[in-house]
Structures are given as structure tokens and as C-alpha cells.
Amino acid sequence: MFPAYGAPMSASVPLLEIRRVTKAYRPPGGAPPISVLRDASLTVTAGEAIAIVGPSGSGKSTLLNLIGALDQPDEGAVLIDGVALSTLDEAALARFRRERIGFVFQSHHLLPHCSVLENVLVPVLAGKSATDDAVEERARHLLQRVGLGDRMHQLPGRLSGGERQRAAVVRAVIQKPALLLADEPTGALDRASATEIGRLLTDLNGLEQVTLVVVTHSRELAEQLGRVHEMRDGRLVQL
Ligand SMILES: Nc1ncnc2c1ncn2[C@@H]1O[C@H](COP(=O)(O)OP(=O)(O)O)[C@@H](O)[C@H]1O
Ligand SMILES: [Mg+2]
């Protein structure tokens, strides 16, 4: 249903389009709804890297959840390759999340009892019962490229925060997603590790053409990425 990685459906269809999206949370017990997104729009072309900044509580994570099909907007639409996510059934959405989207969060969420290499292969195993040689080779290659070549058989607990986050980034791109969503990926790191993660994300964007949408508080990371949008009063404003 979706074109394969690296094969855009048409040059004129953006990879991601957020079209006038609104979203409110309705607290239980009849309290008034909390309006978070109000007419947010954004268009991202395949291969772009964009940063989303904005104050805490402004709706940045809410927006990423809508893009990643983890939640639905009240109004408006999220389109990937011109296909509105609201038109997909549960099975298609699950497949979309598994094959087309990679997620990186502030916390690495690595499984503590699996080696770094096993952690990187978890998304592959979610789709089938075994990994093949090619994907394992890709995992080893990527881990080497991010400086974890000699750590891949260790447990995540033995790694530094920056190394764990590098492993989490490799896990997010193992299946060659078209779109990598990162929610404050450097928020828990020291400055040097944060710079490394920023460089890794932009390297992946350049080498693999993975499109990046990165929520960040870091001015440095936002500048590394290029196009910056700010979440302001529930709308996205390009800076
Ligand atoms: N599941 C939820 N239920 C109720 N309110 C929520 C929920 N998720 C987020 N919110 C509220 O929505 C607003 C935006 O949250 P969020 O998208 O996490 O902001 P950001 O990521 O920019 O810090 C906040 O006021 C937050 O408390
Ligand atoms: Mg957030």
C-alpha cells in the first residue's frame, strides 16, 4: 500500500502533510477539555530534516503521537505519501508504524536483559519470528558506524547514556523507515553526547535519506537540523 523505502510515490506528493489538525484532551469527570492543537499545519518533503521547538506543554509530543498514528486528531488530517491515516484500519496502521516510522524518545527504552545487538533487532522480530543475515549485517554495520562495534554484545546497563541513545537511534532505523520521529532525543544527555546524537541524526538523514521530525529544546540540535518550526498557541510557525 505504501511505496517502498526510497521509492516515493510521486515527487509532487509530500512525505508528510499535517492538515489543519486540532486536538483536545477530555479529562474524566466532566472537567472542561484541554485544547492542545488548534489548526496546526505542516508539510515535510521526503529527505527533509526539521526541528519542532516550543515551551513545555505546548503540544509537541501530542503532535508526534498523531504523526506516528499512536493517537487521532479531533479534526483535520495527517497524510503520509498522500494517504490519510484515518482511512487505514488497525492492521494497516500497525504495519505502517512498524515499517515506515522509527521512534526515538528522551529515554532509550532498551530492554535491560537483551544485548545491544538484540535490542536493535527487536523491531525486526516484531514483524516475523526470525531475522535474516542481511538485516543482522545491517545492524552490525550501523552499530559500528555509531561507534558501538565493540559493545554490541553487552547489556545496555554497561553503556553510557550517550551510547544507549545511539543504540536506540540504530534500533529506530533498522527497518529503513521513511520517517524518523524523535521526541527530545538529547533531553537527558550531557552536552558532548547530545552533539554526537545530533550529528548521528543528520548523518542518517544524509546517508539514508530518512526524513527527520525532531522535537527538541536544544537550540544547537535545532540549528543542526535546518528548518525549525515553533509550536505556538496550538499552531506551527516556521522560524
Ligand atoms: N493523555 C493526556 N491526557 C490529558 N492531557 C494530556 C495528555 N497528554 C498531554 N496532555 C496535556 O496536553 C498538553 C500538551 O502536552 P504535550 O503534547 O505532552 O506537550 P509537550 O510535548 O510540548 O511538552 C499539556 O497540557 C499536557 O498536560
Ligand atoms: Mg513532550
Side-chain angles (χ1 to χ4, degrees):
M1 166 184 337
F2 291 105
Y5 176 70
M9 191 183 280
S10 154
S12 60
V13 177
L15 174 67
L16 167 66
E17 194 183 349
I18 297 167
R19 215 183 262 170
R20 309 202 63 173
V21 156
T22 67
K23 178 75 183 176
Y25 291 108
R26 287 166 188 77
I34 304 162
S35 163
V36 178
L37 301 179
R38 305 180 197 101
D39 204 8
S41 294
L42 177 71
T43 301
V44 182
T45 306
E48 269 193 297
I50 76 153
I52 295 177
V53 300
S56 183
S58 61
K60 305 181 298 299
S61 295
T62 298
L63 183 80
L64 282 195
N65 288 343
L66 298 181
I67 300 171
L70 299 172
D71 201 356
Q72 298 84 43
D74 296 331
E75 291 169 79
V78 177
L79 296 92
I80 304 278
D81 290 323
V83 178
L85 295 182
S86 61
T87 63
L88 302 183
D89 63 18
E90 266 310 311
L93 280 178
R95 209 176 137 216
F96 161 75
R97 278 191 294 263
R98 203 166 60 230
E99 295 177 1
R100 302 278 291 160
I101 301 266
F103 281 103
V104 179
F105 301 96
Q106 181 168 335
S107 168
H108 54 82
H109 296 295
L110 297 172
L111 302 172
H113 302 297
C114 292
S115 72
V116 168
L117 179 62
E118 286 164 348
N119 266 286
V120 163
L121 292 169
V122 161
V124 183
L125 290 168
K128 46 190 168 183
S129 59
T131 62
D132 56 41
D133 291 350
V135 75
E136 279 201 42
E137 187 49 40
R138 173 170 165 78
R140 289 172 201 278
H141 171 77
L142 286 171
L143 286 168
Q144 256 147 20
R145 205 161 83 198
V146 305
L148 294 175
D150 55 355
R151 317 300 296 277
M152 62 177 92
H153 299 297
Q154 291 186 357
L155 297 179
R158 303 286 296 276
L159 273 52
S160 71
E163 289 169 336
R164 284 196 284 258
Q165 194 64 317
R166 278 186 260 156
V169 171
V170 171
R171 180 185 54 187
V173 299
I174 188 65
Q175 309 231 73
K176 301 188 177 181
L179 185 57
L180 181 61
L181 304 175
D183 198 348
E184 303 193 21
T186 64
L189 301 180
D190 61 69
R191 196 172 174 150
S193 302
T195 303
E196 256 171 28
I197 291 291
R199 203 175 298 136
L200 170 55
L201 290 173
T202 52
D203 278 358
L204 286 169
N205 173 246
L207 290 166
E208 304 222 322
Q209 276 83 54
V210 61
T211 304
L212 300 179
V213 177
V214 180
V215 165
T216 184
H217 278 117
S218 158
R219 181 185 294 256
E220 183 186 335
L221 178 55
E223 282 169 3
Q224 275 174 294
L225 293 167
R227 186 146 76 95
V228 183
H229 290 255
E230 185 178 7
M231 186 65 84
R232 204 184 281 170
D233 299 326
R235 294 181 181 80
L236 285 164
V237 181
Q238 185 164 356
L239 299 184

